[in-house]
Amino acid sequence: MHTPVTIIGAGLGGLTLARVLHVHGIPATVYEAEPSPTARAQGGMLDIHDYNGQLAVAAADLVDEFRGLILPGRQAMRILDRDGTVLLDKADDGTGGRPEVQRGELRELLLDSLPAGTVQWGHKVSGVRTLGQGRHEVNFADGGTVVTNLLVGADGAWSRVRPLLSTATPEYVGESFVETYLFDADTRHPAVAATVGGGSLMAPAPGRQIHAHRERGATLHAYVVLAETLDWFAGIDFTDTAAATARIAAEFDGWAPELTALITDTDTAPIWRPNYALPRGHRWDRMPGVTLLGDAAHLAAPNGEGANLAMLDGAELGKALAAHPDDIEAALTEYEQAMFARSTEIAAEAAEFFEDLFDGTAASLVAVFAGQDQTR
């Protein structure tokens, strides 16, 4: 296949696609709005699953390099009640089914695996239009343009490419994350570090949850989950760290101090991240020369599958294009039909978990994991 592929977005999905295309000798260019690979933090830990994310790593021919990123012991998991009682304490079983890596390190691995110049930084898309016969024009904020016969929107929740295919827009799901970090926690926050342990911690209650991961070294990364409206969060000044953490911590009055310290003792300003989703089962009619992957295609509320699905989308699209070098439309049709089914199935499974199995309490979450263990 000699048609160059134009990819919008240098996230994990877009980079996986570029890498798989490179493995198969297919040229690609990735256009990214950020000015450099280090322009912003890349988020925290990801568990890369053996049934999707790791399949993408294998398709990218990066298995050995990926194994070098895995943080030992991080599959350990604890579930606590709000009073700090440990209800479940699972050690890392060492099977590697869901190994944890740092998102930024995984992205760096993918970037380093691509030929120099594959990613064009500082190219923010201002608009995209169809020229007909499978050709599309991408306009950038700096006035530049590119015309392509094969356009892939890997540009996330607020994709500029999606409107070519769909009128769907993400809607707020009714809850947000507030992220905090505690650094050098074993020394500076020993009680909290001991509570989190060597892997992840979950302390759920209806409408209120505290999650935390031990990242590389002794960094604790917490996700405080609150089921509140956008207006409620807009009333908090997140630029005032003391006031914001006090306001968030007030929602956990009566919880164990070693849990609320993940909020009050943060070493960074808290970051508000509202959660959005596209309609469940989102799909579109085939349009020549363009498709979507990852959150641009099937944005869902956080369920542990987003990065894995984006990477698998990229890998499967790359493989389909390599398998149909003389028929782009056949490749895109094959990819989309499989992707639609895959993302819909994952969404249904997530809905079953959150709506039917997990009622928001720590005890119900423990019961879910106990049931999973019994069926293995």
Side-chain angles (χ1 to χ4, degrees):
M1 177 177 169
H2 300 291
T3 301
V5 182
T6 299
I7 304 167
I8 307 300
L12 296 179
L15 294 176
T16 300
L17 170 59
R19 169 62 186 180
V20 173
L21 292 173
H22 174 61
V23 167
H24 290 280
I26 300 173
T29 302
V30 182
Y31 293 95
E32 169 55 46
E34 294 175 2
S36 74
T38 58
R40 66 178 177 87
Q42 292 300 310
M45 302 281 287
L46 292 174
D47 52 327
I48 303 301
H49 309 155
D50 54 9
Y51 54 85
N52 47 27
Q54 291 183 48
L55 300 180
V57 172
D61 195 22
L62 293 171
V63 172
D64 290 341
E65 294 86 347
F66 170 78
R67 287 174 178 161
L69 301 182
I70 294 172
L71 297 177
R74 297 314 197 276
Q75 284 185 256
M77 181 184 65
R78 289 177 175 175
I79 299 176
L80 276 66
D81 211 340
R82 66 181 77 190
D83 63 1
T85 301
V86 178
L87 302 181
L88 180 69
D89 193 355
K90 293 182 64 173
D92 187 336
D93 61 12
T95 60
R98 305 169 73 94
E100 297 273 357
V101 300
Q102 298 273 170
R103 178 189 286 268
E105 294 178 4
L106 180 56
R107 186 187 192 222
E108 184 177 359
L109 169 62
L110 289 166
L111 285 169
D112 289 345
S113 75
L114 298 173
T118 298
V119 180
Q120 297 292 304
W121 302 98
H123 283 71
K124 182 178 182 180
V125 175
S126 58
V128 181
R129 68 188 184 103
T130 298
L131 301 178
Q133 297 182 327
R135 298 169 68 245
H136 302 276
E137 180 183 85
V138 182
N139 299 291
F140 300 105
D142 63 3
T145 63
V146 63
V147 174
T148 179
N149 291 315
L150 182 45
L151 176 64
V152 180
D155 48 344
W158 307 104
S159 171
R160 292 292 188 135
V161 180
R162 189 194 300 124
L164 291 176
L165 296 165
S166 169
T167 59
T169 57
E171 295 187 1
Y172 182 58
V173 301
E175 69 175 24
S176 294
F177 289 171
V178 177
E179 290 187 52
T180 63
Y181 284 89
L182 277 63
F183 301 128
D184 194 18
D186 291 332
T187 301
R188 299 179 58 244
H189 311 281
V192 185
T195 299
V196 173
S200 64
L201 170 148
M202 291 179 278
R208 303 285 184 270
Q209 301 183 42
I210 297 177
H211 296 203
H213 293 106
R214 178 180 286 265
E215 297 188 352
R216 187 173 294 282
T219 294
L220 302 182
H221 185 182
Y223 301 83
V224 181
V225 188
L226 291 166
E228 296 290 351
T229 66
L230 292 173
D231 287 342
W232 187 90
F233 283 100
I236 300 173
D237 181 3
F238 282 94
T239 65
D240 185 336
T241 298
T245 55
R247 180 67 188 87
I248 297 299
E251 297 299 313
F252 296 86
D253 185 41
W255 286 49
E258 59 270 27
L259 292 175
T260 57
L262 286 161
I263 306 168
T264 58
D265 291 1
T266 180
D267 292 316
T268 62
I271 303 169
W272 172 35
R273 299 201 185 280
N275 295 327
Y276 290 82
L278 286 166
R280 193 181 302 172
H282 176 239
R283 59 180 58 208
W284 53 87
D285 294 331
R286 173 93 292 283
M287 174 179 283
V290 60
T291 193
L292 307 171
L293 63 78
D295 284 350
H298 45 71
L299 176 69
N303 58 17
E305 298 289 353
N308 285 277
L309 283 178
M311 293 176 64
L312 186 58
D313 286 353
E316 292 297 295
L317 176 54
K319 289 162 59 179
L321 291 168
H324 302 280
D326 300 318
D327 193 340
I328 290 174
E329 287 309 299
L332 296 185
T333 298
E334 177 183 292
Y335 157 72
E336 287 182 350
Q337 293 308 308
M339 180 268 292
F340 290 150
R342 180 170 58 243
S343 60
T344 299
E345 179 183 6
I346 291 293
E349 291 175 353
E352 179 185 10
F353 175 81
F354 287 106
E355 296 171 9
D356 299 333
L357 302 178
F358 175 46
D359 65 9
T361 66
S364 71
L365 188 58
V366 170
V368 169
F369 281 107
Q372 290 176 345
D373 287 342
Q374 292 173 3
T375 59
R376 288 173 183 165

